[in-house]
Amino acid sequence: MIDVLLQVPQYILFRHIGRPRKLPINITLSVTYHCNSRCKTCNIWRKRGNGEELSLEELDLIFRSLGKTPYWFTISGGEPFLRRDLADICRSIYHHCEPGIINIATNGLLCDIIAETVSQIAASCPRTHLVINLSLDGIGGEHDNLRGVPGNWDRAMRTYRTLKSLDHSNLEIGVHTVISRHNVNSLSQIYEYVTAELKPDSYITEIAEERVELDTIGAGITPSLEEYVTAIDYLSPKIKQSRFSGISRITQAFRLQYYTFVKQTMRRKRQVIPCYAGFASAQIAPDADVWMCCIKAEPIGNLRDADYDFRKVWFSRKANELRRRIKSKECYCPMANASYTSMLHHLPTLAKVGWRVLTS
């Protein structure tokens, strides 16, 4: 983490003057559009992309081109564990990039496959902190209804219990809730159940957004500002009272600032801190397109067309043009993943997070 903080001034310069040119420290890798859920907040399972999914061999070339710069990989989908080579993908990431964190979200439907794969990843990436976030958007039947799969809750609970029984010192099991108009008024009940009954290593939430990536533009899934504020104003004091250790202590401190950031963004309808998507964070789609972020999912190039060299796409003319638009605040959003790197490079926010970590 110290190495990341030492790079912050370089990324600030990269955003302001274009030098030094930097590869992203935060990579979201979407390994598949396929999903075995049918969520009310996501239609990604309907997408097929512009080509075949990147193979393990292709991904290995991409990771080699990224080198040691990325600190944080988020593996997403679709449902990532539908890729039977997911453990091999993570081994390749570890071999070439040696990230500090690999974070994987799952719907928990494939219990035995998930548990076996997670154990393999944790064992083969010993110096990387592995975070598995189980998605829970309600309790019991409410969760099944939102996820569109009967019996999802029972299977997710079995997966959770199995994951918690794994013995790996670098493994953290968390719970993740997407706050949408469908469940915003139930957040307090979800939180109380999760913390009292499941006792995860971390609990995080993210506001439901209309994204090109998820095919949810016009879906009306985002809660109103008033509903969201009520839910988060309940949740934030609870998190402040909780005690976390290790990486969780830092991520929860960032999470509290993120909740404030979301409220401000929704109220003002503009960027409230400089956005570092396209500077310090990026996303790789299953079909090899590279995006600055997944809200617009506007490709800056395709890695197959660039001989799998990330630099060729990242420093292309199209990428520079999109960076100019982001820097000029043509867009705004409260997307959690990109927000973390933006907050990391906003010195007043970083100071608040550091103070909370030191004093909590």
Side-chain angles (χ1 to χ4, degrees), residues 88-105:
D88 294 323
I89 292 172
C90 291
R91 287 190 193 100
S92 180
I93 291 173
Y94 186 76
H95 175 71
H96 292 295
C97 305
E98 298 180 7
I101 300 171
I102 295 177
N103 175 61
I104 309 175

Side-chain angles (χ1 to χ4, degrees), residues 47 212-213 283 285 289-301 313 318-319 321-323 325-326 330-331:
K47 299 183 69 171
V212 171
E213 178 200 24
Q283 181 154 344
D289 278 346
V290 177
W291 307 330
M292 299 299 196
C293 77
C294 64
I295 299 296
K296 292 186 175 181
E298 185 175 346
I300 58 172
V313 174
K318 179 70 178 292
E321 171 58 21
L322 210 52
R323 285 192 191 97
R325 288 160 51 190
I326 293 170
E330 290 184 11
C331 57

Side-chain angles (χ1 to χ4, degrees), residues 1 71 100-101 103 129-133 164 169-175 199-204 239-240 242-256 340 353 356-357 360:
M1 191 63 183
Y71 177 81
I101 300 171
N103 175 61
H129 190 76
L130 177 62
V131 182
I132 307 298
N133 279 320
K164 287 292 283 183
S169 60
N170 60 331
L171 177 61
E172 174 184 316
I173 308 301
V175 171
K199 298 179 174 62
D201 297 318
S202 61
Y203 178 68
I204 61 175
I239 293 177
K240 289 178 182 178
S242 302
R243 291 293 177 264
F244 300 96
S245 60
I247 290 291
S248 293
R249 190 176 180 183
I250 298 173
T251 56
Q252 292 300 328
F254 271 103
R255 180 63 55 167
L256 286 168
Y340 289 144
V353 169
R356 178 165 283 126
V357 171
S360 61

Side-chain angles (χ1 to χ4, degrees), residues 153-170:
W153 174 262
D154 292 337
R155 291 159 73 178
M157 290 301 97
R158 179 179 167 224
T159 297
Y160 181 81
R161 289 191 296 270
T162 304
L163 289 174
K164 287 292 283 183
S165 71
L166 298 177
D167 185 19
H168 296 281
S169 60
N170 60 331

Side-chain angles (χ1 to χ4, degrees), residues 52-183:
E52 294 183 1
E53 293 175 354
L54 285 161
S55 67
L56 175 63
E57 291 73 22
E58 290 176 306
L59 288 167
D60 191 73
L61 293 172
I62 295 167
F63 302 147
R64 183 181 303 172
S65 76
L66 282 166
K68 301 297 192 290
T69 301
Y71 177 81
W72 175 11
F73 272 85
T74 295
I75 312 295
S76 71
E79 169 54 40
F81 289 93
L82 286 173
R83 284 284 300 245
R84 297 304 174 93
D85 58 354
L86 184 60
D88 294 323
I89 292 172
C90 291
R91 287 190 193 100
S92 180
I93 291 173
Y94 186 76
H95 175 71
H96 292 295
C97 305
E98 298 180 7
I101 300 171
I102 295 177
N103 175 61
I104 309 175
T106 179
N107 58 27
L109 289 173
L110 304 172
C111 178
D112 294 335
I113 291 173
I114 292 170
E116 180 182 354
T117 304
V118 168
S119 188
Q120 291 174 1
I121 296 170
S124 61
C125 306
R127 292 187 299 278
T128 291
H129 190 76
L130 177 62
V131 182
I132 307 298
N133 279 320
L134 178 68
S135 296
L136 295 178
D137 293 338
I139 302 170
E142 180 186 14
H143 177 72
D144 292 356
N145 181 50
L146 281 169
R147 289 271 155 174
V149 179
N152 190 325
W153 174 262
D154 292 337
R155 291 159 73 178
M157 290 301 97
R158 179 179 167 224
T159 297
Y160 181 81
R161 289 191 296 270
T162 304
L163 289 174
K164 287 292 283 183
S165 71
L166 298 177
D167 185 19
H168 296 281
S169 60
N170 60 331
L171 177 61
E172 174 184 316
I173 308 301
V175 171
H176 172 268
T177 297
V178 175
I179 304 176
S180 70
R181 67 178 179 85
H182 302 293
N183 67 352

Side-chain angles (χ1 to χ4, degrees), residues 15 225 256-276 326-335 338-340 342-343 345-350 352:
R15 190 179 187 278
L225 173 60
L256 286 168
Q257 288 301 127
Y258 166 72
Y259 293 148
T260 299
F261 168 74
V262 174
K263 290 190 288 186
Q264 292 174 343
T265 302
M266 293 178 73
R267 284 195 183 103
R268 301 177 189 178
K269 299 187 183 302
R270 62 175 175 82
Q271 289 183 25
V272 295
I273 63 173
C275 179
Y276 275 77
I326 293 170
K327 184 180 175 182
S328 64
K329 301 183 179 182
E330 290 184 11
C331 57
Y332 68 92
C333 75
M335 188 179 71
S339 295
Y340 289 144
S342 296
M343 290 188 291
H345 294 86
H346 185 242
L347 298 184
T349 299
L350 186 60
K352 290 177 183 178

